């Protein structure tokens, strides 16, 4: 399944494995209980990101797992898809199209002109969502564009994450972090992210957990 000028092992040799650890001695029992929940969140969001990169990623991952090539799977997970970013997104797996410019947030055959013409014809409310950060654009069976909120498109994953965040929010001791986790959980459910973004900015510097992105 591999393609390209560099063999898999040589491509992997470009990277070094580094184990990251943390000192948990200053965490309370409840906070330690929150860690596995947040790890589950990370794995779920990792799967979501894989879906966002390319519509064919999940099917391709299944084929790679069936093929049982550990090194090729490692490359795929590193790049979150079949394209080598440091080589101008060159595919390293056979029968893979060029990396779509709009990832999986837009139909792969949609042009910029088509998008702009469609948006112009929408009312103010729909324009806001069509051009916003928390919607994807798809085609219906007539070929017409329409927008779908993240909470619908990724609901199978985001609802799981929301439940984990709510649970973790009851375990962490820092009130500002607890508030962020809860507000972000609500955002994943209702697709309204502003309050959780503000809550993220207000996480105390004294918090024992650092939330970088989610």
């Amino acid at each position: 399944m591999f393609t390209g000028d560099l063999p898999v092992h040589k491509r992997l040799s470009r990277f070094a494995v580094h184990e990251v650890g943390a000192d948990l001695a200053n965490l309370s029992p409840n906070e330690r209980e929150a860690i596995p929940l947040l790890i589950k969140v990370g794995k779920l969001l990792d799967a979501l990101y894989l879906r966002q990169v390319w519509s064919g990623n999940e099917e391709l991952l299944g084929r790679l797992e069936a093929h049982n090539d550990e090194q090729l799977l490692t490359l795929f997970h590193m790049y979150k898809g079949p394209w080598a970013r440091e080589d101008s997104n060159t595919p390293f797996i056979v029968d893979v199209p060029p990396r779509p410019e709009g990832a999986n947030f837009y139909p792969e055959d949609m042009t910029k002109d088509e998008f702009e013409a469609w948006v112009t014809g929408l009312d103010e409310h729909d324009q806001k969502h069509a051009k916003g950060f928390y919607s994807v654009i798809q085609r219906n069976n007539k070929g017409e564009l329409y927008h779908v909120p993240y909470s619908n498109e990724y609901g199978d994953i985001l609802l799981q994450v929301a439940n984990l965040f709510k649970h973790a929010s009851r375990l962490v001791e820092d009130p500002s972090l607890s508030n962020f986790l809860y507000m972000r959980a609500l955002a994943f459910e209702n697709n309204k992210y502003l309050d959780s973004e503000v809550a993220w900015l207000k996480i105390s510097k004294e918090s024992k957990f650092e939330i970088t992105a989610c």
Side-chain angles (χ1 to χ4, degrees), residues 4-46:
D5 297 331
L6 273 181
V8 177
H9 71 279
K10 286 191 175 181
R11 190 172 289 281
L12 282 173
S13 70
R14 291 176 167 183
F15 304 93
V17 176
H18 181 72
E19 185 174 342
V20 178
D23 183 1
L24 308 182
N26 66 334
L27 298 183
S28 70
N30 277 352
E31 289 173 324
R32 293 185 188 186
E33 188 179 338
I35 291 176
L37 303 178
L38 298 177
I39 290 174
K40 287 181 181 179
V41 165
K43 291 180 178 179
L44 285 166
L45 293 181
D46 204 45

Side-chain angles (χ1 to χ4, degrees), residues 166-187:
K166 287 179 181 178
H167 189 177
S169 74
R170 297 190 292 269
L171 295 171
V172 298
E173 296 181 352
D174 183 86
S176 64
L177 176 60
S178 176
N179 181 58
F180 166 73
L181 293 172
Y182 183 75
M183 297 304 295
R184 197 59 145 193
L186 294 183

Side-chain angles (χ1 to χ4, degrees), residues 152-165:
N152 289 3
E153 179 66 12
Y154 309 125
D156 58 321
I157 292 177
L158 292 181
L159 289 180
Q160 295 180 68
V161 173
N163 288 332
L164 290 166
F165 266 7

Side-chain angles (χ1 to χ4, degrees), residues 50 70 74 95 174:
L50 199 65
E70 186 175 336
T74 298
D95 299 326
D174 183 86

Side-chain angles (χ1 to χ4, degrees), residues 41-179:
V41 165
K43 291 180 178 179
L44 285 166
L45 293 181
D46 204 45
L48 189 153
Y49 180 71
L50 199 65
R51 187 184 300 178
Q52 290 177 323
V53 170
W54 178 44
S55 61
N57 257 345
E58 291 173 303
E59 186 272 336
L60 178 57
L61 175 59
R63 287 198 286 125
L64 290 174
E65 289 174 338
H67 193 257
N68 199 29
D69 186 326
E70 186 175 336
Q71 288 190 327
L72 200 53
L73 268 171
T74 298
L75 271 182
F76 179 86
H77 284 298
M78 283 173 52
Y79 290 119
K80 296 296 183 287
W83 301 281
R85 297 176 187 174
E86 78 279 11
D87 289 335
S88 302
N89 287 316
T90 300
F92 55 85
I93 294 176
V94 296
D95 299 326
V96 168
R99 183 171 182 169
E101 292 185 9
N104 196 23
F105 298 108
Y106 304 92
E108 292 181 21
D109 63 347
M110 188 194 74
T111 65
K112 181 179 179 181
D113 288 343
E114 180 187 11
F115 175 76
E116 291 179 346
W118 168 66
V119 169
T120 300
L122 300 176
D123 60 34
E124 184 177 352
H125 175 268
D126 283 330
Q127 283 191 17
K128 177 182 177 181
H129 290 288
K131 295 189 292 185
F133 295 111
Y134 309 113
S135 297
V136 297
I137 309 303
Q138 297 180 347
R139 291 192 190 279
N140 60 24
N141 54 14
K142 296 180 181 179
E144 301 166 333
L145 299 175
Y146 66 102
H147 60 82
V148 182
Y150 277 9
S151 54
N152 289 3
E153 179 66 12
Y154 309 125
D156 58 321
I157 292 177
L158 292 181
L159 289 180
Q160 295 180 68
V161 173
N163 288 332
L164 290 166
F165 266 7
K166 287 179 181 178
H167 189 177
S169 74
R170 297 190 292 269
L171 295 171
V172 298
E173 296 181 352
D174 183 86
S176 64
L177 176 60
S178 176
N179 181 58

